[in-house]
Amino acid sequence: MRTIFTTGQVAKICKVAPRTVSKWFDSGRLRGYRIPGSQDRRIPREHLIRFLKEHGMPLGELEDEAMGKILLVGIDSHVQNGLREILPAEDFKLELAQSGFEAGIQAESLHPDCVVVDFAMGRNEALMIAQNLRKNGDYTDTVLIALLSDEDTASGFDRTIFNETFRKPFDSALLGERVRTLVSRKKQLV
């Protein structure tokens, strides 16, 4: 995954002439930096994605990177619908899994930024999903959120594997906003 782009690479993505990208850069509309001792310009990925979104331009090959990818495991339809309202389809891709096995398959193909696991599917299975994700080096930065019932909150387990826990009942909008914040923060650090 490329993190820094030349003006020529940006031109190919935007389907414009390199000179056009240089004009965007020089006018301050497209942020980046110059290589010391030369006139070469470099544009960090996050600035390019922001520029494309602000100007309604297609993201092209960056679309998959720019979208927040969320895997919902064992989540009931009420919470799913609440999250779909808060996390718009143009910015977030939501995938569903009903079991640990499905979650593993989905995680491999989606490479999610965030996994929300409902302990209603079974405490042991939910913990196993979280522990397996944390053991895999590809998912060490993945945001993990647990949805707990009163029994799960009262019982002891290692909560440090989760970034956040929500105890039922909770407001889906609050969960959605927290997911949005954590995924946005992760995307800026990557």
Side-chain angles (χ1 to χ4, degrees):
M1 178 169 41
R2 183 179 305 277
T3 58
I4 305 291
F5 296 88
T6 65
T7 51
Q9 291 165 333
V10 172
K12 283 183 182 175
I13 291 168
C14 297
K15 296 180 178 37
V16 297
R19 182 74 193 122
T20 302
V21 176
S22 296
K23 286 180 182 178
W24 292 338
F25 183 95
D26 293 343
S27 70
R29 286 186 278 175
L30 178 58
R31 293 182 45 210
Y33 60 91
R34 288 188 187 272
I35 302 294
S38 96
Q39 291 297 311
D40 293 344
R41 301 160 183 90
R42 297 293 182 265
I43 296 95
R45 182 182 73 216
E46 62 271 13
H47 293 304
L48 176 57
I49 290 171
R50 188 175 303 125
F51 175 83
L52 294 172
K53 283 184 172 184
E54 285 173 359
H55 292 88
M57 298 172 73
L59 297 174
E61 65 191 54
L62 299 174
E63 186 162 22
D64 197 41
E65 290 178 39
M67 290 188 82
K69 295 172 282 192
I70 318 295
L71 178 58
L72 306 175
V73 185
I75 307 296
D76 68 49
S77 60
H78 174 71
V79 174
Q80 287 176 31
N81 293 337
L83 289 174
R84 288 187 197 283
E85 286 179 26
I86 300 294
L87 305 171
E90 58 270 6
D91 295 329
F92 293 92
K93 181 177 186 174
L94 272 66
E95 294 288 333
L96 308 173
Q98 294 304 319
S99 68
F101 180 74
E102 276 184 53
I105 292 171
Q106 289 282 36
E108 280 297 313
S109 65
L110 182 65
H111 296 285
D113 297 302
C114 177
V115 178
V116 182
V117 181
D118 193 337
F119 271 54
M121 71 185 313
R123 181 176 190 262
N124 290 337
E125 189 170 10
L127 282 171
M128 184 182 70
I129 292 166
Q131 290 164 345
N132 287 342
L133 284 170
R134 285 296 184 231
K135 284 179 197 171
N136 187 329
D138 293 340
Y139 305 106
T140 53
D141 293 337
T142 300
V143 175
L144 280 177
I145 298 176
L147 306 183
L148 307 170
S149 66
D150 285 333
E151 302 84 54
D152 294 314
T153 303
S155 62
F157 66 87
D158 182 13
R159 285 207 182 102
T160 61
I161 59 176
F162 293 98
N163 298 80
E164 295 278 332
T165 56
F166 279 78
R167 197 176 97 216
K168 296 177 184 177
F170 59 85
D171 183 359
S172 294
L174 182 63
L175 173 62
E177 284 302 321
R178 192 64 186 142
V179 167
R180 178 195 310 269
T181 300
L182 291 170
V183 168
S184 297
R185 193 177 297 157
K186 176 187 181 288
K187 288 276 189 198
Q188 296 204 350
L189 294 176
V190 172

